[in-house]
Amino acid sequence: MSDNDDTTVTHVPAEERYVLTVGGEPVGFAAYTDQGGARIFTHTEIDPAQGGKGYGSVLVAGALEQVRDEGGLRVVPECPFVAKYVEKHHDFDDLIAAG
């Protein structure tokens, strides 16, 4: 991924997902469900044609930042990609629900 990519992560509450767009085109999403004060991330998907560019990490980081900004929710990373991301990026440890 180059520094010139126009990437945006948008929360779409009606669809229970965060959507990543690049240059205005959707390239992936992170789906979740809210339950008992927790945002449970269940699935992350990036367009296979856009794979290997780091977009999955951009998406998850953007989603987690927005959860932090909203305040009050804990994160449960059921999705394997999100779980692996938070294992490697400890700047989001404060959001992760104790398991």
Side-chain angles (χ1 to χ4, degrees), residues 60-72:
V60 172
L64 293 174
E65 285 291 348
Q66 290 182 41
V67 171
R68 177 178 281 144
D69 291 346
E70 289 177 28

Side-chain angles (χ1 to χ4, degrees), residues 6-95:
D6 178 22
T7 60
T8 304
V9 176
T10 304
H11 186 199
V12 185
E15 297 179 16
E16 294 187 317
R17 62 178 50 195
Y18 293 85
V19 176
L20 174 67
T21 57
V22 179
E25 296 296 318
V27 298
F29 66 90
Y32 69 86
T33 186
D34 286 341
Q35 183 178 10
R39 179 145 299 158
I40 304 166
F41 282 88
T42 57
H43 181 70
T44 302
E45 188 171 312
I46 298 294
D47 179 346
Q50 300 295 330
K53 298 180 181 179
Y55 290 140
S57 294
V58 171
L59 171 58
V60 172
L64 293 174
E65 285 291 348
Q66 290 182 41
V67 171
R68 177 178 281 144
D69 291 346
E70 289 177 28
L73 289 172
R74 305 297 287 167
V75 169
V76 177
E78 284 187 359
C79 166
F81 187 89
V82 176
K84 191 168 193 167
Y85 183 89
V86 297
E87 284 176 15
K88 292 182 177 181
H89 298 87
H90 296 284
D91 43 331
F92 296 107
D93 286 353
D94 60 305
L95 295 177

